[in-house]
Amino acid sequence: MEYYYVPNLNDDIVTLSQEEARHCVRVIRHVAGDAIVMVDGKGLWARGTILATTKDRCQVQVDERKIVENHRVLSLHIAVSPTKNRERVEWFVEKAVEVGIEKITFLLCDHSERLRVDMQRMERIAISAMKQSQSATIPEMDVLAFDALIQGMRNWEGDKMIAWCDADDNSVELADKDLLKNDVLLLIGPEGDFSKREIELAKSENFTEVRLGPKRLRTETAAIYGCCVINSKG
Amino acid sequence: MEYYYVPNLNDDIVTLSQEEARHCVRVIRHVAGDAIVMVDGKGLWARGTILATTKDRCQVQVDERKIVENHRVLSLHIAVSPTKNRERVEWFVEKAVEVGIEKITFLLCDHSERLRVDMQRMERIAISAMKQSQSATIPEMDVLAFDALIQGMRNWEGDKMIAWCDADDNSVELADKDLLKNDVLLLIGPEGDFSKREIELAKSENFTEVRLGPKRLRTETAAIYGCCVINSKG
């Protein structure tokens, strides 16, 4: 059952976007009277009946709305340095939305290889993954410089973690952490890793150093590993 | 430090393949006298000194060899249905080699959308991921029909698991399984899921039904989730 993305599901009668309408009418070939499922990206799921269609327009009566509860108690926020090859971090966004994530920050670090992020493209990828995995929520997404994120989270009371390759003896294996109590923020650095300055800043702001297994992982692999392991503990 | 793939590291003097030599000589610009690191894909790591180079040839004296121990005690085998879009299962191979995996079977199922696998391409992807993640081993890889794999593993004594979307009350969440004792085989089906026939056959051969979290995952996402979670428990 395919899901349609409709940002505003509050009205009794809604209109699909041109892109969604074309898929609905021309590809799937729905007609008036058919039932369809819609999600608003903010946790609302709805069932509706198609009232009218044209080649690129589709009007739907909303019959039923439901709030879709998050399957996890804790909220997961991953901040990841955008990769030089754009596809790699886009792959992460798609997989993270499928597995489960509440917020993604594209983190601009001292050694980041990419400093520009196409947020519209990221949103399209997240919406597509949400629909494909039959869920109703897309993560919040933003772009922030490292220092701005660290300082902005100063008074936040969740579990703050930074993953890096030379994590010392004070570090903890992510897989061993008890993660059931608080919301989680995990920082994943660029291929050149976080700078010493960034690590010191994070430690001074109560970030725990974590390891992501014994092997050296690419940025997007580290991010999806973190996402999978944290979800498996939720 | 880049790694070079040399399938036979047993001789005192080895020659890089044309592809590796070109990268070594023309891209990285190594010259005679330089030290390089080589891996054979079978767990052997070596340090050597370059003896001679031409534009696409490179001869190396092997100075030191080491067997690289697997960081995990248990051996992980994932059998996954090839995806219609070839890139998706290729992403899985790349990520799985980075995170850690001993064997990958491309599993031809009743509902598989792709029945042909380019094994040379998969091997190139695995070698590239091995080098990039600075490890010395590529997984064994093969293609098998579902029934052939199930029956071939009849007398195998490890943990046999099959992941599918409609797993019933007898199923176990992968994240909750105690996986430290035995080798592991995990089956991941196509987008249309395993057929009832395949599930019954697997159950009759002592496969445990497992769930991979509460959300519906694409084939390659399910496979990398399984790989990450099992590695996190190792």
Side-chain angles (χ1 to χ4, degrees):
Chain A
M1 161 76 73
E2 73 282 1
Y3 276 35
Y4 292 91
Y5 172 61
V6 180
N8 182 1
L9 277 175
N10 294 317
D11 298 332
D12 291 334
I13 293 177
V14 298
T15 305
L16 299 190
S17 70
Q18 198 177 58
E19 186 182 337
E20 293 289 63
R22 281 177 176 163
H23 185 75
C24 182
V25 177
R26 292 201 239 181
V27 176
I28 308 294
R29 299 185 187 273
H30 275 305
V31 295
D34 285 358
I36 62 166
V37 167
M38 299 168 286
V39 288
D40 73 350
K42 299 181 278 288
L44 202 57
W45 174 102
R47 196 173 40 76
T49 309
I50 294 177
L51 293 175
T53 69
T54 65
K55 263 188 337 186
D56 47 18
R57 215 166 163 274
C58 185
Q59 227 184 22
V60 185
Q61 171 184 290
V62 178
D63 299 322
E64 178 195 354
R65 286 178 197 78
K66 255 189 347 198
I67 291 176
V68 179
E69 296 298 335
N70 194 337
H71 61 275
R72 249 192 291 100
V73 172
L74 65 83
S75 173
L76 170 59
H77 177 185
I78 292 181
V80 58
S81 177
T83 48
K84 184 170 167 185
N85 173 323
R86 184 169 79 162
E87 263 195 340
R88 292 182 173 280
V89 72
E90 287 173 3
W91 178 89
F92 162 69
V93 170
E94 184 187 280
K95 296 311 156 208
V97 171
E98 285 184 61
V99 173
I101 191 162
E102 281 60 56
K103 186 167 181 179
I104 299 173
T105 294
F106 301 101
L107 195 62
L108 307 182
C109 305
D110 290 347
H111 298 153
S112 284
E113 294 169 308
R114 171 177 285 278
L115 297 174
R116 288 171 59 183
V117 180
D118 184 340
M119 292 303 285
Q120 282 193 325
R121 193 175 154 84
M122 292 304 187
E123 192 180 87
R124 282 199 301 272
I125 286 164
I127 288 167
S128 177
M130 165 186 70
K131 286 163 44 177
Q132 202 279 337
S133 64
Q134 302 199 333
S135 71
T137 312
I138 55 172
E140 281 182 62
M141 292 190 287
D142 61 10
V143 188
L144 277 179
F146 184 92
D147 297 40
L149 176 68
I150 298 289
Q151 283 148 9
M153 300 303 274
R154 178 165 287 155
N155 298 321
W156 185 73
E157 298 199 344
D159 267 329
K160 299 192 270 194
M161 300 183 288
I162 180 164
W164 72 303
C165 295
D166 289 331
D168 60 27
D169 291 336
N170 289 330
S171 68
V172 164
E173 190 58 55
L174 176 71
D176 297 336
K177 264 197 76 99
D178 177 6
L179 289 174
L180 299 174
K181 304 195 185 74
N182 290 323
D183 293 345
V184 170
L185 166 61
L186 174 65
L187 310 186
I188 306 282
E191 297 299 339
D193 220 340
F194 290 112
S195 62
K196 278 210 156 68
R197 179 195 80 80
E198 286 168 335
I199 296 290
E200 290 311 309
L201 180 60
K203 282 161 79 170
S204 75
E205 294 280 351
N206 294 325
F207 275 74
T208 307
E209 290 176 80
V210 293
R211 297 187 305 274
L212 303 177
K215 299 186 71 182
R216 177 183 221 86
L217 306 175
R218 280 183 184 272
T219 293
E220 75 280 7
T221 313
I224 198 59
Y225 175 89
C227 184
C228 287
V229 170
I230 291 166
N231 269 280
S232 76
K233 288 170 171 290
Chain B
M1 163 75 73
E2 73 280 4
Y3 276 35
Y4 293 90
Y5 172 60
V6 179
N8 182 359
L9 277 176
N10 294 317
D11 299 331
D12 291 335
I13 293 178
V14 298
T15 305
L16 299 191
S17 69
Q18 197 176 60
E19 187 182 336
E20 294 287 63
R22 282 180 175 161
H23 185 78
C24 181
V25 177
R26 292 202 234 180
V27 177
I28 308 295
R29 300 185 187 274
H30 276 303
V31 294
D34 285 358
I36 64 166
V37 168
M38 299 168 286
V39 287
D40 73 351
K42 300 181 278 287
L44 202 59
W45 174 102
R47 197 172 39 76
T49 309
I50 295 177
L51 293 174
T53 70
T54 65
K55 264 192 331 185
D56 47 20
R57 215 164 164 276
C58 185
Q59 227 183 23
V60 185
Q61 171 184 287
V62 179
D63 300 322
E64 178 194 353
R65 285 179 197 79
K66 258 194 336 203
I67 292 177
V68 178
E69 297 297 338
N70 195 338
H71 62 275
R72 247 191 292 101
V73 172
L74 64 83
S75 174
L76 171 58
H77 176 185
I78 292 181
V80 59
S81 177
T83 48
K84 184 171 167 184
N85 173 321
R86 185 170 78 162
E87 263 197 341
R88 292 182 173 281
V89 72
E90 288 172 2
W91 274 117
F92 163 69
V93 170
E94 183 186 282
K95 296 314 161 202
V97 171
E98 285 183 62
V99 174
I101 190 162
E102 281 62 56
K103 186 165 180 180
I104 298 174
T105 295
F106 300 102
L107 194 63
L108 307 181
C109 305
D110 289 347
H111 298 152
S112 283
E113 294 169 307
R114 170 176 286 278
L115 297 174
R116 287 170 61 182
V117 180
D118 184 341
M119 293 302 287
Q120 282 193 326
R121 194 175 155 81
M122 293 303 187
E123 191 179 89
R124 282 199 301 273
I125 285 164
I127 288 167
S128 177
M130 165 186 71
K131 287 163 43 178
Q132 203 280 338
S133 64
Q134 302 199 335
S135 69
T137 313
I138 56 172
E140 282 182 61
M141 292 190 288
D142 61 11
V143 187
L144 276 179
F146 184 93
D147 297 40
L149 176 67
I150 299 287
Q151 283 146 12
M153 300 303 275
R154 177 164 289 155
N155 297 323
W156 184 73
E157 298 196 348
D159 267 328
K160 299 192 270 195
M161 300 184 288
I162 180 164
W164 72 303
C165 295
D166 288 330
D168 60 27
D169 291 337
N170 289 330
S171 68
V172 165
E173 189 59 54
L174 176 70
D176 296 336
K177 264 197 77 96
D178 178 6
L179 288 174
L180 300 173
K181 302 195 186 73
N182 288 325
D183 293 346
V184 170
L185 167 59
L186 174 64
L187 310 187
I188 306 282
E191 297 297 339
D193 221 340
F194 290 113
S195 62
K196 278 211 155 68
R197 180 195 80 79
E198 287 168 334
I199 296 289
E200 291 310 310
L201 180 60
K203 283 161 77 168
S204 75
E205 294 281 350
N206 294 325
F207 276 74
T208 308
E209 290 175 80
V210 293
R211 297 187 306 274
L212 302 177
K215 300 186 71 181
R216 177 183 220 85
L217 305 176
R218 281 183 184 274
T219 292
E220 75 280 8
T221 314
I224 199 59
Y225 175 90
C227 185
C228 288
V229 171
I230 291 166
N231 269 280
S232 76
K233 289 171 170 289

